[in-house]
Amino acid sequence: DSVTEIGLYSFAFCESLTSITIPAGVTFIGQSAFEYCMTLKEIYCKPTTPPVIGNNMYYNNGFTTPIFYVPTASVSKYRSTEGWRDYYYMIEGYDF
């Protein structure tokens, strides 16, 4: 829970990552942090304010489409925030 940033390419090409929980204190997720995580299906993002994200935070070649689970009360905020808008269809509410 003390993590505040996820750096550039932090989990890129992590072939065994299926799920990840982003702590509530995270304010920044770097470029390509989850690039080519081919088995990633669930990203639980606890911050109520959408973290600033770098380009292509999540990118793959189409094998999987993970769901970003965000606080239910923050869904519209995530879907309308720059950067996060690119993942609009992947964002769903979750009661943490």
Side-chain angles (χ1 to χ4, degrees):
D1 284 335
S2 63
V3 174
T4 59
E5 293 189 1
I6 297 174
L8 306 170
Y9 301 97
S10 291
F11 297 97
F13 296 94
C14 185
E15 296 177 7
S16 62
L17 186 64
T18 60
S19 176
I20 190 165
T21 299
I22 298 171
V26 170
T27 59
F28 177 78
I29 301 173
Q31 176 180 332
S32 301
F34 304 107
E35 182 176 47
Y36 288 105
C37 292
M38 301 301 220
T39 58
L40 185 58
K41 294 180 181 167
E42 301 166 325
I43 302 169
Y44 295 92
C45 194
K46 290 184 171 183
T48 55
T49 299
V52 173
I53 59 174
N55 293 334
N56 295 324
M57 171 191 58
Y58 171 79
Y59 178 80
N60 76 13
N61 63 2
F63 285 111
T64 62
T65 301
I67 300 297
F68 287 92
Y69 292 103
V70 303
T72 300
S74 299
V75 169
S76 61
K77 194 183 305 183
Y78 272 83
R79 288 180 176 172
S80 64
T81 297
E82 186 173 341
W84 287 98
R85 283 184 287 229
D86 297 340
Y87 307 105
Y88 181 90
Y89 64 97
M90 299 162 62
I91 296 171
E92 291 188 17
Y94 188 83
D95 293 322
F96 290 99

